[in-house]
Amino acid sequence: MDNVTTTRRDDVTVSLTRIRSSKTCTIGILYIQTRNLRWSCRTLELPWLDNQPQISCIPAGTYSCYRVKSPKFGETFVVTRVTGRAGILFHAGNTAKDTHGCILLGVGVETGGRKPCLLSSRAAMKTFMQMLEGIDTFELEIK
């Protein structure tokens, strides 16, 4: 018998708080809380355009997320139960042009230039996946 331990999805809390929106993008903070660890990173999404596929961020609410293997982005999580939308992933990227409705992760955000830019996105994505190691599903609350 294997002694494999998996973490139940009720052992992890994942929330995204949107803190700023403009005509070009939405900036937020993603929080992950497990039994022992707490971590946060910045997010970049498209602006709110009435939940239109590939040009809008998704509405605030609670969504189920499942571990998937993306041909383009590798192992990640997909956000499900978004009305009228599919294929919304967490992945690395730096600017709004890198997302088509997905949630980009970064260690920080640079806002001094013309367009906000996430910093160290691949590092944030790596830590995100490490924080969720052994977890196949979780609920995401977006505020």
Side-chain angles (χ1 to χ4, degrees), residues 11-86:
D11 289 338
V12 64
T13 302
V14 182
S15 64
L16 192 164
T17 301
R18 292 175 173 151
I19 57 174
R20 195 176 84 196
S21 189
S22 70
K23 292 187 297 186
T24 60
C25 69
T26 301
I27 302 292
I29 304 173
L30 183 81
Y31 299 95
I32 299 178
Q33 176 74 51
T34 67
R35 284 186 180 181
N36 310 353
L37 300 171
R38 185 175 184 170
W39 179 75
S40 66
C41 70
R42 295 301 182 123
T43 62
L44 191 143
E45 302 172 84
L46 291 170
W48 174 250
L49 294 170
D50 296 320
N51 195 34
Q52 296 176 68
Q54 299 190 4
I55 64 167
S56 176
C57 62
I58 62 177
T62 302
Y63 303 98
S64 295
C65 298
Y66 298 91
R67 186 178 294 271
V68 295
K69 183 99 177 193
S70 163
K72 184 173 182 177
F73 300 108
E75 191 170 353
T76 187
F77 284 85
V78 63
V79 181
T80 64
R81 291 196 270 171
V82 180
T83 303
R85 304 279 294 274

Side-chain angles (χ1 to χ4, degrees), residues 3 15 18 31 34 41-42 51 72 88 91 95 99 106-107 112 115-116 124 128 132 138:
N3 288 330
S15 64
R18 292 175 173 151
Y31 299 95
T34 67
C41 70
R42 295 301 182 123
N51 195 34
K72 184 173 182 177
I88 302 161
H91 64 82
T95 66
T99 178
V107 171
K115 297 177 185 176
F128 171 78
L132 297 170
F138 63 85

